[in-house]
Amino acid sequence: MVDAHRRLLAVAAVAGVVATLAACASDDDEGGELDEPATILDLTEFVDIDPGDVLSLRDDGAGGVEWIERRSGRVVTLPDIARFFDEPASADDVETIATIDVIGADGEPPVGQRGLVGHTVIGDTRYAAWTDPDTDELLVGTVDDEPRIVWAGGGTDDGAVGGQLRPYVADGTERLLLGIGQLTDWAQVNDSGAMVTLDPAGPSDQEPRIVSDGYINPFAFDVTDDGSALWVADNAVGDDSERIGRGDLLDRNGHSEVGGENRAPAAMLELDEATLLICGFLDGELQRWNVAGMSPARVDTVGPCLTAVASVELGDHTDGTSVLVNATADALVALPLP
């Protein structure tokens, strides 16, 4: 991801695309059918959401979608999204699961890339990553009736924080996988950003295990369904090139240079064993990449996407059909799987 003042670039890049996709949704389709891309939620209804605030989309396991809101600290869900393929949901249809305190004592929301930055679920426990509003410290903890800090990671700048979370099996044990950006105290001590794992039951002062390092801000990553591979799309600074590679096998300097205009990769989804979908914060596009043979190559643009993408199984409405749900600058957009 990039600094907050560059968000307007992404808004301009995707506004026309989102409008076109919304117009493509057929008025004749029955609820629960998705033949064309459709806006399922207009984010402009939420007065406390700016472009780039919606992160970490995930399937709720019951035909709905969950996400987090960076500046408000809310973890929310939109149940049964197939209801909204013909007529978008309203803010009233969104349910709050939990709220994490990311608002400072002065009442101001977090700036830059601070705030609620990641969440995931292991078993029956939900975990989140956020920055403390008073100390700017990066924290990972549980989100339940008795919250517990899993890791206290030290201070952060307002950019290159990282914070995305995934479940990850290491040495036969399920752990939390966390991307840490280079503008954090932890990264400064360890000389770079990194992909690390944490013991979900460990103490707050546990030492993260480094999976791979050398990263700028590894915010876009995903673990394959069978757990055999970790793919990372890293940001770049200066004249450096963004890179895509296997984070479970190589450090960043061993990943493939992407070349071309920087996109600021903000989210990734494994589509199949040879295909990744990657959101670009700067171009507002969801691009399909072929990663067969470990040599990533761009295939095409699937649709709009600013900060998050998930595959959601719809359940009873469409006999288990899955769709993509993407967060753009001003909407959640559902697309048929490519």
Side-chain angles (χ1 to χ4, degrees):
M1 295 181 69
V2 294
D3 292 337
H5 70 275
R6 300 180 71 180
R7 290 180 185 159
L8 292 177
L9 295 175
V11 174
V14 301
V17 179
V18 173
T20 300
L21 289 173
C24 290
S26 171
D27 293 334
D28 296 327
D29 288 343
E30 296 180 1
E33 301 287 337
L34 184 66
D35 298 321
E36 300 286 346
T39 293
I40 60 173
L41 180 65
D42 183 355
L43 295 175
T44 62
E45 290 193 14
F46 297 81
V47 295
D48 57 350
I49 291 182
D50 279 354
D53 281 353
V54 173
L55 303 171
S56 299
L57 285 169
R58 64 182 301 273
D59 188 339
D60 74 352
V65 65
E66 299 174 350
W67 67 91
I68 59 176
E69 297 168 0
R70 183 186 62 82
R71 294 190 314 145
S72 73
R74 290 202 309 164
V75 182
V76 299
T77 184
L78 180 65
D80 193 12
I81 63 170
R83 295 176 294 159
F84 307 111
F85 289 167
D86 295 324
E87 184 174 348
S90 71
D92 292 337
D93 295 305
V94 176
E95 301 176 5
T96 300
I97 298 172
T99 301
I100 294 173
D101 183 16
V102 296
I103 306 296
D106 57 3
E108 294 297 319
V111 299
Q113 293 169 29
R114 294 189 181 116
L116 180 55
V117 289
H119 84 135
T120 195
V121 174
I122 297 179
D124 295 327
T125 304
R126 186 182 302 273
Y127 299 86
W130 69 95
T131 54
D132 184 278
D134 299 317
T135 65
D136 295 329
E137 185 174 25
L138 178 61
L139 302 173
V140 176
T142 60
V143 183
D144 51 30
D145 293 336
E146 297 181 0
R148 176 179 58 84
I149 299 300
V150 172
W151 182 61
T156 61
D157 203 332
D158 61 2
V161 173
Q164 286 279 45
L165 293 169
R166 295 285 190 280
Y168 189 69
V169 177
D171 299 325
T173 302
E174 194 160 38
R175 293 173 63 86
L176 281 169
L177 179 67
L178 169 70
I180 304 176
Q182 68 172 359
L183 297 184
T184 58
D185 287 357
W186 184 92
Q188 296 300 309
V189 171
N190 290 274
D191 297 325
S192 75
M195 299 299 305
V196 306
T197 65
L198 301 169
D199 178 359
S204 62
D205 61 352
Q206 67 176 291
E207 186 63 32
R209 296 180 187 175
I210 296 175
V211 179
S212 54
D213 60 13
Y215 296 103
I216 306 300
N217 193 20
F219 204 77
F221 62 86
D222 201 16
V223 180
T224 55
D225 285 342
D226 63 3
S228 64
L230 161 63
W231 284 97
V232 184
D234 193 28
N235 282 249
V237 292
D239 296 330
D240 188 19
S241 175
E242 294 173 348
R243 302 192 180 207
I244 300 174
R246 284 279 299 273
D248 57 319
L249 300 178
L250 299 167
D251 293 332
R252 184 186 192 273
N253 60 8
H255 295 182
S256 298
E257 294 188 5
V258 174
E261 293 291 330
N262 285 342
R263 307 182 60 228
M268 176 189 291
L269 175 68
E270 179 222 9
L271 191 60
D272 56 51
E273 62 182 9
T275 311
L276 302 176
L277 299 178
I278 304 174
C279 296
F281 189 83
L282 291 180
D283 57 25
E285 294 182 355
L286 180 65
Q287 294 185 359
R288 177 164 35 187
W289 285 73
N290 186 307
V291 292
M294 293 184 61
S295 182
R298 181 184 179 277
V299 177
D300 56 14
T301 295
V302 175
C305 187
L306 192 72
T307 53
V309 56
S311 175
V312 178
E313 187 173 329
L314 300 177
D316 294 340
H317 285 281
T318 54
D319 297 325
T321 297
S322 294
V323 299
L324 294 177
V325 179
N326 308 334
T328 72
D330 52 15
L332 291 189
V333 178
L335 295 83
L337 285 177

